[in-house]
Amino acid sequence: MSGDDEASKNSADKEYVLLVSSDGFEYSILRSAALVSGTLRGMLGQSPSVFAEARENRVVLPNISGILLEKVCEYLYYNLKNASNPGVIPEFDVPPELALELLVASDYLDV
């Protein structure tokens, strides 16, 4: 593989981030969506980092279950999509049975 091919592969790899839940579910999301979270932004950083998460482009979230992480990923995309929307932003649907756990997860992830 030439240097140019390797550089483009590395930049393509960095376009997505793998989030792993406590029960082993994996979600590949756009890096720009992941960076909506202050916690993930700190782990992944914008430049080379000492954190393993930044080097591996993979974040294990041991306190967040798969079902919660799926909803968190939905919210990260929702936030990214509506961040620059000057109009009326549609309501984000939160199932009542997940509300408390999502509140805790959102606090931890700083979203």
Side-chain angles (χ1 to χ4, degrees):
M1 186 179 283
S2 74
D4 290 339
D5 291 340
E6 191 171 320
S8 80
K9 180 183 181 301
N10 286 340
S11 66
D13 288 348
K14 296 289 184 179
E15 185 178 354
Y16 289 89
V17 175
L18 189 65
L19 303 180
V20 183
S21 69
S22 61
D23 46 357
F25 287 92
E26 297 181 343
Y27 298 91
S28 181
I29 68 169
L30 283 171
R31 182 180 199 81
S32 56
L35 295 179
V36 167
S37 160
T39 302
L40 296 177
R41 192 176 329 112
M43 290 177 180
L44 297 168
Q46 295 292 348
S47 60
S49 174
V50 295
F51 291 111
E53 290 85 358
R55 287 192 309 273
E56 298 170 8
N57 231 23
R58 181 177 187 268
V59 179
V60 178
L61 300 162
N63 298 325
I64 301 177
S65 69
I67 198 161
L68 284 176
L69 188 53
E70 181 176 4
K71 200 65 174 173
V72 165
C73 290
E74 287 176 25
Y75 179 77
L76 293 172
Y77 277 111
Y78 166 86
N79 190 298
L80 184 65
K81 176 184 172 187
N82 293 297
S84 61
N85 186 352
V88 177
I89 297 173
E91 196 170 308
F92 183 74
D93 182 44
V94 175
E97 64 274 9
L98 295 179
L100 183 59
E101 291 175 287
L102 279 171
L103 181 62
V104 172
S106 68
D107 184 52
Y108 169 71
L109 292 171
D110 189 24
V111 292

